[in-house]
Amino acid sequence: MIDLKQLLNKFIEEETIKDYDREAEMALEAVKSGKVDINQLADTWAKAYKETTLEYAKPEETSWDEDFADVYHDLIHSPASETLLNLEHNYFVSISELISERDVELKKLRERQGAEMDKVMQELGKSLTDQDVNSLAAQHFESQQDLENKWTSELKQSTAIQKQEYQEWVIKLHQDLKNPNNSSISDEIKVQPQLRESVEGNGRIYEEQRLLEESFTIHLGAQLKTMHNLRLLRADMLDFCKHKRNHRSGVKLHRLQTAMSLYSTSLCGLVLLVDNRISSYSGIKRDFATVCQECTDFHFPGIQEQLEIVQKVVLKARAQRSRNKNSGNEDKSKSIERNQSNILPGEFYITRHSNLSEIHVAFHLCVDDNVRSGNITARDPAIMGLRNILKVCCTHDITTISIPLLLVHDMSEEMTIPWCLKRAELVFKCVKGFMMEMASWDGGISRTVQFLVPHTISEEMFYQLSNMLPQIFRVSSTLTLTSKH
């Protein structure tokens, strides 16, 4: 049996060599007879060799985005950083003023239309009919749409002009800095652009609720322990995104830190809890999009453009999954009922930002009404979504992440003290387990995890949660050494 196997292997090997030889002879004959152009053949071989051999391959050409990223990173870590931040702030104020004008104009239109509708309603049944009311309502709606479209177009044009001007100015400044003989550029950096303050920013007094915050240092790991920082805050999630219109020094330092780490291995992210539709029309999605649109993003596409890209990717992924999946009739009927453009609880999409106050990345985690119930477990889609988000943080250099501790952004009547304590305990324990997994994901990198609770929560409840955290995590304690007399 062994001899037969050896003979078969030898036969296959010899016949394969003969087959290759026949093909080679035919190819040579084709070249000799002129059927194949020898110059074209040589070019094909040379191209293939260059593409497969690194030594002879052409270096990859960097894209405009990569070039601009390198230039910006150099400048923001140079004496020109303050000039860059001041220019960005002035652009922000310009857009804010445009948005204020838009809001005032829309408010006046709605007030005028409201007065017109009141008059019509008083005449309803006398000289006017339901058809007249419907006709007026349609006219009002059309007028509002026209005005909103006009302002949307104007804002889009303004941000596009700002982005082009800013990028061209950054590139030119970087080129001038490379020229040691150019003395005018140092004067340009020294003379800071005059900071603009918006009228609204000076005229309003904002009442800020007292910030509650507790910080902890922990060590996690079986043998090789990794130090992490934990923070518990009572704050609105969007406070980490909003720019302040008055350019105070503290605000400026926050913005400088965010700008300096934009192209680094220390990115900041936050988790937003959203519904299953990829849009910005309602709830916190609309509020977040509004904040994003208040300031031009000079590095990444706008929020609406990013959402459109996400929508296309989701549709493509769903189509691919349905083609590859051999499901039964029951599954097919479920997929038909469900909108293929929507995402499922526990799934999330990511948007990138350079124009927000303290974050670079937003994780939009899909949750359903089940998170408001008191009986979710560690296997709930929202909890598993947090695990996957932390995994992405490990693989993409996001070292600071802000998480809604109660898996809600707003408090409601059913969220009693026992409900809050039970939910916080679940999230604390699950996140602790996920952080211990991180060591196997990234080799043990120190991170900062911020747990946020809604700003409407009571101080008493906040401090109960603060006392719970060190009981679940192993908090580092200080050791006091005293000399023995």
Side-chain angles (χ1 to χ4, degrees):
M1 188 67 181
I2 297 174
D3 293 340
L4 177 62
K5 188 176 180 180
Q6 290 176 346
L7 289 170
L8 282 172
N9 286 336
K10 186 178 179 182
F11 173 77
I12 291 171
E13 187 177 347
E14 290 175 352
E15 291 299 318
T16 302
I17 292 173
K18 289 179 182 178
D19 192 40
Y20 285 149
D21 288 341
R22 281 194 296 269
E23 287 185 4
E25 288 293 337
M26 290 170 63
L28 287 172
E29 284 297 326
V31 172
K32 290 176 181 177
S33 63
K35 291 181 180 179
V36 176
D37 184 0
I38 192 168
N39 293 323
Q40 186 180 355
L41 184 64
D43 291 342
T44 304
W45 270 101
K47 182 182 177 185
Y49 189 74
K50 283 183 179 178
E51 289 176 352
T52 54
T53 308
L54 182 63
E55 184 181 353
Y56 299 103
K58 288 183 179 179
E60 290 186 9
E61 294 182 1
T62 56
S63 66
W64 158 259
D65 291 337
E66 290 171 333
D67 288 338
F68 180 73
D70 291 337
V71 167
Y72 179 83
H73 187 74
D74 288 344
L75 287 180
I76 202 66
H77 289 83
S78 75
S81 60
E82 191 169 358
T83 308
L84 284 176
L85 292 182
N86 289 344
L87 182 60
E88 289 178 13
H89 182 75
N90 288 342
Y91 278 139
F92 160 64
V93 172
S94 297
I95 294 295
S96 297
E97 289 174 355
L98 268 181
I99 291 174
S100 297
E101 289 177 28
R102 178 200 64 185
D103 293 343
V104 168
E105 201 167 328
L106 284 170
K107 184 181 178 183
K108 287 181 179 178
L109 176 65
R110 292 189 184 106
E111 288 174 353
R112 188 171 66 251
Q113 290 179 345
E116 289 177 5
M117 185 59 74
D118 289 340
K119 288 181 181 178
V120 169
M121 293 302 291
Q122 290 174 4
E123 295 296 321
L124 183 63
K126 300 176 184 176
S127 59
L128 298 174
T129 63
D130 289 339
Q131 187 176 356
D132 297 320
V133 174
N134 293 337
S135 177
L136 182 63
Q139 290 176 19
H140 285 175
F141 178 76
E142 189 175 345
S143 299
Q144 282 189 29
Q145 288 294 106
D146 289 343
L147 187 58
E148 287 177 0
N149 290 339
K150 171 211 160 190
W151 277 106
T152 300
S153 176
E154 189 166 340
L155 283 168
K156 190 174 181 179
Q157 185 179 6
S158 297
T159 53
I161 292 171
Q162 282 189 0
K163 187 169 185 175
Q164 184 178 351
E165 286 179 353
Y166 180 85
Q167 290 185 343
E168 288 175 354
W169 184 82
V170 166
I171 295 292
K172 183 179 182 301
L173 178 62
H174 187 261
Q175 290 171 345
D176 291 342
L177 282 172
K178 283 184 176 180
N179 183 5
N181 300 322
N182 195 339
S183 60
S184 63
I185 192 64
S186 60
D187 297 333
E188 184 181 345
I189 293 173
K190 289 175 186 175
V191 179
Q192 302 297 330
Q194 186 177 0
L195 286 176
R196 295 182 57 198
E197 300 292 349
S198 66
V199 176
E200 186 177 356
N202 290 333
R204 283 188 182 178
I205 299 175
Y206 294 98
E207 294 183 5
E208 295 183 359
Q209 189 176 20
R210 188 167 74 88
L211 177 69
L212 292 179
E213 176 184 340
E214 292 282 349
S215 299
F216 305 87
T217 301
I218 64 169
H219 290 85
L220 292 177
Q223 294 178 336
L224 183 62
K225 296 188 182 297
T226 304
M227 186 181 75
H228 301 281
N229 297 311
L230 302 181
R231 295 175 72 201
L232 178 67
L233 299 99
R234 183 180 73 175
D236 191 319
M237 190 66 80
L238 295 182
D239 289 345
F240 293 93
C241 307
K242 294 176 182 175
H243 279 288
K244 306 296 185 294
R245 299 193 181 190
N246 49 343
H247 213 60
R248 299 190 304 269
S249 59
V251 174
K252 199 169 183 178
L253 287 173
H254 270 304
R255 179 66 197 129
L256 177 62
Q257 183 180 4
T258 307
M260 291 181 73
S261 57
L262 179 60
Y263 296 105
S264 73
T265 56
S266 302
L267 300 175
C268 300
L270 61 74
V271 178
L272 289 176
L273 305 173
V274 299
D275 58 32
N276 61 352
R277 291 164 296 180
I278 302 171
S279 65
S280 58
Y281 299 131
S282 61
I284 195 166
K285 296 188 298 183
R286 180 185 59 200
D287 298 337
F288 178 72
T290 300
V291 172
C292 292
Q293 290 164 352
E294 282 183 347
C295 187
T296 303
D297 196 317
F298 300 110
H299 301 262
F300 305 116
I303 181 66
Q304 294 299 338
E305 188 177 343
Q306 291 194 53
L307 292 178
E308 289 172 8
I309 294 170
V310 170
Q311 186 73 80
K312 291 176 183 176
V313 171
V314 167
L315 287 171
K316 186 177 179 180
R318 293 278 187 259
Q320 184 69 33
R321 187 179 298 176
S322 62
R323 282 196 299 267
N324 295 340
K325 190 176 180 182
N326 296 320
S327 57
N329 293 331
E330 186 180 351
D331 291 335
K332 284 181 181 177
S333 62
K334 285 183 180 178
S335 65
I336 291 171
E337 289 175 8
R338 184 168 60 83
N339 189 337
Q340 295 296 305
S341 63
N342 292 345
I343 60 175
L344 299 172
E347 295 181 336
F348 61 90
Y349 52 94
I350 300 170
T351 53
R352 302 171 298 160
H353 308 275
S354 68
N355 59 336
L356 301 182
S357 176
E358 297 179 45
I359 70 150
H360 309 103
V361 179
F363 295 92
H364 305 253
L365 175 61
C366 176
V367 296
D368 54 17
D369 291 337
N370 193 42
V371 294
R372 295 189 169 271
S373 68
N375 56 358
I376 71 168
T377 65
R379 303 299 300 175
D380 189 85
I383 298 291
M384 298 312 296
L386 283 180
R387 178 184 180 274
N388 292 330
I389 286 172
L390 288 175
K391 193 166 186 177
V392 171
C393 291
C394 289
T395 55
H396 291 80
D397 299 322
I398 299 169
T399 55
T400 301
I401 183 71
S402 301
I403 298 171
L405 175 61
L406 304 179
L407 299 181
V408 293
H409 291 307
D410 300 300
M411 301 297 290
S412 56
E413 291 181 359
E414 71 269 14
M415 297 172 190
T416 58
I417 291 179
W419 185 97
C420 292
L421 292 174
K422 183 180 178 183
R423 175 61 56 82
E425 182 181 9
L426 173 67
V427 175
F428 278 147
K429 287 181 176 178
C430 290
V431 170
K432 179 184 178 182
F434 302 153
M435 291 177 71
M436 293 181 75
E437 279 187 272
M438 284 183 184
S440 63
W441 295 338
D442 61 12
I445 293 176
S446 181
R447 299 184 184 279
T448 298
V449 179
Q450 302 186 139
F451 297 101
L452 270 65
V453 294
H455 63 276
T456 53
I457 205 168
S458 66
E459 287 193 28
E460 179 190 359
M461 184 71 252
F462 177 85
Y463 288 115
Q464 285 191 52
L465 298 175
S466 175
N467 292 331
M468 179 191 293
L469 192 150
Q471 296 172 8
I472 294 173
F473 291 88
R474 185 177 297 175
V475 175
S476 304
S477 57
T478 57
L479 183 64
T480 305
L481 300 177
T482 55
S483 59
K484 201 170 184 179
H485 297 292

